Amino acid sequence: MTLLREHKDPFDWPLFLCVASIALVGVTNLYSATSAAHSGRSDIYVLQIYWLTLGSVAAIVCALVDYRYVERYAWAIYGVGVGLLMLVFLLGREIRGSQRWIPIGTFALQPSEFMKVILVIALAKFLHADSKVEGRTLLDLIVPGAIITVPIALILIQPDLGTALLLVATFGTIMMLTQLKWRSIVTLFGVLAGCAPLTWNYLLKDYQRFRILAFINPESDVLDTGWHAYQSMVAIGSGGWFGKGFMQGTQNQFRFLPDAPTDFPFPVWAEEHGFCGVIILLGLYAFWTLWGIRIAAQAKDRFGAVIALGVSATVFWQSVINIGMVAGIVPVVGVPLPLFSYGGSSVITTMAGVGLLMNVSMRRFRY
């Protein structure tokens, strides 16, 4: 097969072991998170194993096919991603006021999750073709800005504020680390700050405003809007140094923690394994991010470097936003923790990103 060139590229064992460790403890944590009496979701960790298996296939494909083929079809991939986002409004299923999922049998496809990797590929394609090496100005952001504006607008309409913010953060990180001038960065932040009142009045839904108000004053509505964040912080704080033990967390077992398998698996882990367990988990995510930056620095071309940088930035910001919202540092916006939260689209997308990272890493000594 022409796509799978014969070679003996070095396998990236540190990356593999780090990701496998997070996936393994994630499944055991899901087992505990769904073990609460009468939870009715005790088989969810089995489904997560199925998603991880499917995600592993996606990772293997993304790792084996030379990433220069991905570059060749980058705009086609981007078009498919935007098309799926539009399809949500025709075939989407509405859950809790959001229309984000396309039902396919018993599976619900969430196109906004796939856009996390697709957007990185599109930006890598643009920056690889852009020969400019000196500092970029705001004018240089017009084209890449347009590339992200279309999917973000569609995602905000669903609405999915968390994913939109994650894509903006990933875009900002890529542009900052590819020589955007500091004067342009300061100006951009000024413009965004100036748009804050318009965003508050015309863009955010009522429940999103309530979540932000609950974040500013956590005790203002503990029994309703602030319930998730308050119970989460109680669980994290009650873990102490070494935690209460596997499946012994009272906040989870007595079902005080809502959405523990999806958005709030971290408090379950923190309550059961304490501060020491939190440090270990944070260390794994930090290693994943830093190793990805190392791969970007060693990449043989700009496309590979931006791919590695973008995937690492996505993992970093997803981890920061999820852990930040469960710890009361940022508002609750519904962003999953990579390979720790339950979700088919999220797991497959994350594993595809791992495959691309492995791809760039394995080919850093070639060409």
Side-chain angles (χ1 to χ4, degrees), residues 218-250:
E219 297 181 354
S220 63
D221 193 12
V222 172
L223 296 179
D224 189 9
T225 310
W227 176 263
H228 292 64
Y230 180 78
Q231 296 299 334
S232 173
M233 287 187 286
V234 171
I236 295 173
S238 64
W241 281 97
F242 303 105
K244 298 175 180 177
F246 185 60
M247 296 178 65
Q248 300 301 315
T250 52

Side-chain angles (χ1 to χ4, degrees), residues 206-290:
D206 286 340
Y207 76 91
Q208 293 169 333
R209 296 194 195 98
F210 291 146
R211 284 182 178 180
I212 294 175
L213 292 174
F215 161 71
I216 296 172
N217 185 8
E219 297 181 354
S220 63
D221 193 12
V222 172
L223 296 179
D224 189 9
T225 310
W227 176 263
H228 292 64
Y230 180 78
Q231 296 299 334
S232 173
M233 287 187 286
V234 171
I236 295 173
S238 64
W241 281 97
F242 303 105
K244 298 175 180 177
F246 185 60
M247 296 178 65
Q248 300 301 315
T250 52
Q251 286 296 109
N252 174 51
Q253 293 298 325
F254 293 144
R255 304 188 64 190
F256 286 108
L257 271 177
D259 300 323
T262 52
D263 291 341
F264 290 80
F266 183 81
V268 177
W269 174 266
E271 185 180 24
E272 295 183 354
H273 303 280
F275 180 76
C276 293
V278 167
I279 291 299
I280 292 172
L281 186 60
L282 293 181
L284 288 172
Y285 281 113
F287 178 85
W288 188 352
T289 302
L290 294 174

